[in-house]
Amino acid sequence: MYMDLDEKLIGRYFARLCDETEEKRVRQWFATAEGQAYLSADMERKAMLWGDEKEGMVDHEIPTGVMFERIEKGIRRKEYRRWLYRAAAVVLPLMFTASLALLLFRSPEKETVFYREVTVARGEHLQVLMQDGTRIWLNADSRLVYPDNFNGRERVVKLEGEAYFEVAKNREKPFRVELDAMDILVTGTSFNIKAYPEDSLIQTCLAEGAIRLHDKVSVQENWVAMKPGEVASFSKNSGVCRVDTTDDAGSYSAWKGDRLIFKKTPLREVLKVLERKFDRVFEVENPALYRYTYTITFHQESLREIMEDMQRITPVRFRPAGDRYIVSSRERKN
């Protein structure tokens, strides 16, 4: 059925140039045995090229060697032996083209495989393509753990941080995202998860499809069903999950397109986002400054430009101090 897929169409899929119909067709093919065999063979070939000549996989100049080194160091691998079958995944840095494929591993010859871990440093983004066709975008300061192959009844990954999922549909084998305080169960859908360990809230926004949230904190077996256009906010402290509707689901995953969208966002939360995105540290001199909120959108602005705009709309001042910024008030004391 899918034998007529050609290399050009697959190449356009990786480059994000397909229309909706073509993209669905390729993803469905990746979920077949034929598609998985193709991916495995293609990844083995790229692994050999990557090991021998890294520059051969880049179709334009990399900004700096330092940037490239940071990406490589940001992908650390931990292996956990499991009795599964062979598989593979491709990791794509978002700041480069899709042809820059950082292959995490070669599929082993035996049927014994491993769990893998991808960590994304602050200031970086990565894209992971699973062998079943599922596509995962990882935001800065995030960690993803996944098996070499989804060989059980479910496709299970573990996440710390923020990620956007486009899960390949497979009703026979649901996809489960495990978080520290809850699980998310899907069959094929798109959604954004924000679940940093240091945050008290886990936030999930469903773009399309359907998902169910499983609360690990409560003693009872609580499941919350979500529909497209809904946002679930789960408190790790109280165990309460609140579901609201939104007419702007795309704003929750705007970070994929290098956009920052704040809507009545407290200064404390804004600074957390900037710390992760730009790998900087902010120190607030006066806790009273946390009362300020921001409704503003940024698209590819530098940190300096963002701070200048924040200073214009609220009486705060950013002052560089070594490797960090001091946030103080512009109001003069009498």
Side-chain angles (χ1 to χ4, degrees), residues 190-193 203-207 226 229-232 246 249-250 252:
S190 301
F191 56 97
N192 193 83
I193 304 173
Q203 200 168 56
T204 305
C205 181
L206 179 61
M226 290 184 64
E230 291 185 335
V231 179
T246 177
Y252 290 85

Side-chain angles (χ1 to χ4, degrees), residues 47-332:
M48 297 177 64
L49 292 174
W50 184 252
D52 297 335
E53 187 178 0
K54 294 177 181 177
E55 292 78 10
M57 301 186 70
V58 186
D59 66 359
H60 69 278
E61 184 180 358
I62 297 177
T64 64
V66 175
M67 175 74 77
F68 189 76
E69 183 178 357
R70 287 181 63 191
I71 294 171
E72 285 194 304
K73 289 183 178 179
I75 303 177
R76 299 189 295 270
R77 295 170 289 176
K78 292 183 179 179
E79 300 179 349
Y80 305 94
R81 185 173 297 272
R82 291 290 185 273
W83 294 100
L84 301 173
Y85 292 92
R86 56 194 298 273
V90 170
V91 178
L92 306 174
L94 296 187
M95 68 285 295
F96 301 143
T97 62
S99 61
L100 177 56
L102 299 183
L103 185 65
L104 293 184
F105 58 92
R106 297 188 188 182
S107 300
E109 304 245 343
K110 300 179 180 179
E111 293 185 350
T112 303
V113 295
F114 306 93
Y115 272 90
R116 306 288 175 173
E117 178 180 293
V118 179
T119 60
V120 184
R122 291 192 173 200
E124 307 290 354
H125 292 164
L126 284 179
Q127 185 183 148
V128 181
L129 175 64
M130 309 304 294
Q131 195 182 26
D132 69 335
T134 294
R135 193 185 295 268
I136 306 171
W137 287 259
L138 290 172
N139 204 353
D141 199 20
S142 299
R143 183 175 74 99
L144 179 73
V145 178
Y146 60 92
D148 276 358
N149 190 13
F150 298 125
N151 192 49
R153 295 181 178 179
E154 295 181 328
R155 297 167 287 169
V156 181
V157 300
K158 297 180 180 181
L159 172 70
E160 287 184 2
E162 185 167 19
Y164 184 84
F165 289 79
E166 287 184 358
V167 177
K169 190 173 183 179
N170 186 341
R171 293 188 179 278
E172 302 300 321
K173 187 174 293 189
F175 195 97
R176 181 188 295 267
V177 183
E178 293 186 349
L179 310 174
D180 60 348
M182 68 187 303
D183 289 347
I184 299 177
L185 187 66
V186 307
T187 54
T189 184
S190 301
F191 56 97
N192 193 83
I193 304 173
K194 188 176 183 181
Y196 287 99
E198 63 271 24
D199 291 351
S200 60
L201 284 179
I202 295 176
Q203 200 168 56
T204 305
C205 181
L206 179 61
E208 61 180 49
I211 61 177
R212 290 194 299 157
L213 312 181
H214 175 222
D215 170 13
K216 292 181 180 179
V217 176
S218 175
V219 177
Q220 298 178 344
E221 186 74 8
N222 291 331
W223 286 89
V224 176
M226 290 184 64
K227 297 179 295 185
E230 291 185 335
V231 179
S233 299
F234 176 79
S235 171
K236 291 187 282 188
N237 297 327
S238 66
V240 174
C241 184
R242 174 179 173 178
V243 179
D244 300 300
T245 58
T246 177
D247 57 0
D248 190 17
S251 65
Y252 290 85
S253 58
W255 56 269
K256 295 196 303 126
D258 207 18
R259 288 189 300 154
L260 299 177
I261 299 178
F262 300 112
K263 295 183 178 181
K264 296 182 179 180
T265 307
L267 175 63
R268 187 189 301 273
E269 297 303 315
V270 172
L271 295 181
K272 282 184 180 180
V273 172
L274 297 181
E275 285 184 337
R276 291 165 181 154
K277 179 174 177 58
F278 294 100
D279 193 18
R280 293 292 184 270
V281 175
F282 294 90
E283 291 184 1
V284 178
E285 285 188 338
N286 185 356
L289 296 177
Y290 288 132
R291 72 180 184 273
Y292 295 119
T293 61
Y294 296 84
T295 299
I296 191 170
T297 298
F298 300 104
H299 184 212
Q300 296 184 339
E301 282 86 349
S302 66
L303 177 58
R304 178 183 59 81
E305 292 171 326
I306 291 175
M307 292 188 297
E308 287 176 352
D309 285 345
M310 292 176 65
Q311 290 176 152
R312 278 193 286 268
I313 61 179
T314 54
V316 301
R317 183 166 65 100
F318 293 91
R319 184 176 72 253
D323 60 348
R324 61 194 60 220
Y325 287 92
I326 305 300
V327 186
S328 59
S329 175
R330 285 194 285 109
E331 300 172 346
R332 293 188 177 181

